Amino acid sequence: MDLSLTIGGPQGGGIDTSSNMINRAFAEAGYNVFAVREYHSNIKGRHSYNHIRVKEERPRSLRYPVDILVALDADTLYEHMDDVVAGSKVIYDKSFESGDLSQARLIMRDTAKSIKGRLQSENLPLNVIGAIQHMKNNGAITIAVPFDAVVNSAISGGTPTRYFNTLGSAITLSIAGLPVNFTSEAIKQVFASKPKVVEDNVKVVEAAYKYCEENKLSGTTLKSFPKKQRLLLTGNDAAAIGKVMGGLRFQTYYPITPASDESTVLEEHETLSLIENEKNSLEKAGVVVIQTEDEISAITMAMGAALTGTRSATATSGPGFSLMAEGISFAGMDEVPVVITLYQRGGPSTGLPTRNGQSDLLFALNTGHGEFPRIVLSSGDIEECAYDAMKALNYAQRYQLPVIHLIDKNLATTSDLIPEIDKSRVKIIPALSVSEKEDFLRYNLNTENGISKVGYFGKNIFWMTGDEHDELGHVTEDPEVRDRQMRKRFQKLETAAHEIPLEDRVQVFGEKDADLTFVTWGSQKGPILDVIDDLKKEGIKANMLYLKMFEPFPSEFVKSFLSRAKLVVDVESNLLAQASRVIRLETGIEIENAILKYSGRHMTEDEILSVAKKIINKKEKFVVEVLKNGA
């Protein structure tokens, strides 16, 4: 089975709950699910939706068109009327049929204008009936359900609309052919913290299945598989878990989308107990989480905690990261081990605050004034978010510098079923520290690798300043000391490049002798892996150079690999092809072809595949394609 579905409705209308229900129901039956959340930046009302893919094997990306579209409001019918094709099933509340496009006030003005143009081009009325007819003309099967009547047949009293998301999800699962027991079990899990509402929601599920059976809508019963022990996590969840397992003890943040959810997860599981010998293990212990008054306080407070020997981090997004620039420079000058998890979203300025983007890469590499070493790494799937969070804390401790961990919005709000996180894969690497009250030179210049021993507030005596300093930390402008301190700090990057395994910095997937080589980073990893499999079925050999660490950059490997590639295509979610620029700077290699997307929406398997074929058959030298999928 390979099922693609979208469930949409108003922001704040329970769309996440619906997605959670569908994901868990399929997971209970032994299937794998992959779901991306797209939502508007207003608090309540405008269009949001979850795009879900279900397969027996593990899905790594999404695709269009969808097999099932569930509309929990009329706007969803307009917004997604081109996402369905022949055979797609469209489920909506029959009461929507009286709606007019001019009454859909929560659709953005430009979007409404575009919808109007498409309906007019087909001489269709500018209302829900017109949108439904548009989908019928494309072969979709539309199913009008009397939502009120079905809910009222199950429960008496209350507000029927409160159950519409449960009803829509249950009808979807019934049409897909999933037995009702899996759906009811999912309801119990989703509302585990609200046992009083479980009974009524289960009644609505049973009513939905009964309605589908009576109206011959139920799909052929799907087979189920043995239930597997897996975790249903978002990137936010995984990064939070990884930080705890990596020994995080202090996290700061100022609320910003999509970073805040990571800190919220930490707060929900905050415990302040300590365990014996915790500094040598990855066992869970206490994490203090502080919401600060702004991002300047968030970075400096995390640095202050780090100077006591506490593993510390902060999490933010583009605008907040800008405010942290001065603090990050200070951390670079004073060799403070701190992790900044940078959740990328669409910029510039406030930009697209709840949409995807990969446009902060060059900023992360150059943030702050002056020159100082930093490590910049990125994650490409949910599992990596967890393991990279552990590694980032180790890198900060080992090399005594700021570590910037890039996670794009797609990963932050993507739900994936992953195997249990194996803490044995990452060991805690302690800092090279001195004993309590031991005399030492904090910025000792006589090291072999640029790493001098650290002491901690309250235990050792040392000096700190934002100015250039001598080995004790006292201010100096002596040119020889300045030169030596600069070289010492940057020598740590050479040490890191030597010590960090190459596979943690760059990876290659696919055929060795490929006709086409994709270069990418971040959340494009999954879709491209699927595209490589698609091309293989058509007799085209493809592979992927997947970049994970941009500082220190694996220049020699990348240069050697790309020099041998036949046809190279860069794939990124930004306009400037930023990773491609880094490659040109580090290796001198210019990548001629690019598949880019900067609408803020996720890349899908089908659109990358389509452009990849075009590039393979290209006649012109340079091909830059901008992708458009997604509402």
Side-chain angles (χ1 to χ4, degrees), residues 570-627:
D570 176 61
V571 186
E572 300 186 55
S573 287
N574 57 57
L575 185 145
L576 297 177
Q578 295 192 13
S580 185
R581 291 191 175 204
V582 174
I583 290 171
R584 185 167 66 235
L585 178 68
E586 296 283 348
T587 69
I589 294 175
E590 183 161 358
I591 300 175
E592 297 178 351
N593 309 292
I595 300 175
L596 305 174
K597 191 168 190 175
Y598 39 90
S599 64
R601 275 63 174 179
H602 49 274
M603 284 193 185
T604 57
E605 174 188 351
D606 52 293
E607 60 182 349
I608 297 175
L609 176 63
S610 173
V611 178
K613 289 181 180 178
K614 180 178 178 180
I615 292 175
I616 291 170
N617 298 316
K618 70 174 184 176
K619 295 180 180 177
E620 63 269 44
K621 185 176 181 182
F622 297 96
V623 175
V624 177
E625 287 283 346
V626 180
L627 305 181

Side-chain angles (χ1 to χ4, degrees), residues 473-521:
H474 294 309
V475 174
T476 184
E477 293 188 9
D478 179 86
E480 182 180 345
V481 174
R482 159 69 174 182
D483 289 351
R484 292 185 67 191
Q485 286 290 357
M486 286 290 284
R487 290 197 296 272
K488 169 203 180 314
R489 289 193 286 267
F490 273 91
Q491 189 182 3
K492 294 188 291 187
L493 277 185
E494 297 173 19
T495 304
H498 176 71
E499 293 181 346
I500 297 174
L502 186 63
E503 61 265 27
D504 285 348
R505 300 165 65 199
V506 60
Q507 296 172 6
V508 174
F509 297 91
E511 304 278 350
K512 193 172 184 180
D513 181 26
D515 302 307
L516 175 68
T517 293
F518 293 102
V519 176
T520 199
W521 61 291

Side-chain angles (χ1 to χ4, degrees), residues 5-12 14-16 18-19 35-40 46-52 62-64 66 69-73 75-76 79-80 83 355 409-410 413 597 599-602 604 628-631:
L5 61 93
T6 289
I7 182 164
Q11 175 79 347
I15 306 304
D16 262 2
S18 295
S19 178
V36 173
R37 179 186 175 202
E38 291 284 2
Y39 57 107
H40 203 280
R46 291 198 186 278
H47 179 59
S48 69
Y49 67 98
N50 275 281
H51 190 169
I52 305 169
L62 301 173
R63 67 165 172 81
Y64 283 106
V66 297
L69 171 64
V70 187
L72 297 183
D73 65 357
D75 291 8
T76 298
E79 298 263 10
H80 297 274
D83 292 347
R355 307 292 185 180
K409 179 267 164 189
N410 265 358
T413 58
K597 191 168 190 175
S599 64
R601 275 63 174 179
H602 49 274
T604 57
K628 299 293 185 184
N629 270 358

Side-chain angles (χ1 to χ4, degrees), residues 521-580:
W521 61 291
S523 61
Q524 279 77 237
K525 176 187 175 187
I528 293 177
L529 287 173
D530 282 340
V531 169
I532 290 173
D533 289 345
D534 295 335
L535 291 172
K536 187 176 182 179
K537 293 173 185 172
E538 300 185 25
I540 301 171
K541 293 191 289 186
N543 60 17
M544 173 173 69
L545 181 71
Y546 171 57
L547 300 169
K548 281 196 59 65
M549 189 168 284
F550 290 91
E551 187 74 279
F553 191 75
S555 304
E556 291 184 15
F557 181 87
V558 171
K559 185 174 184 177
S560 173
F561 186 83
L562 292 182
S563 298
R564 300 193 304 272
K566 297 175 184 174
L567 177 61
V568 182
V569 182
D570 176 61
V571 186
E572 300 186 55
S573 287
N574 57 57
L575 185 145
L576 297 177
Q578 295 192 13
S580 185

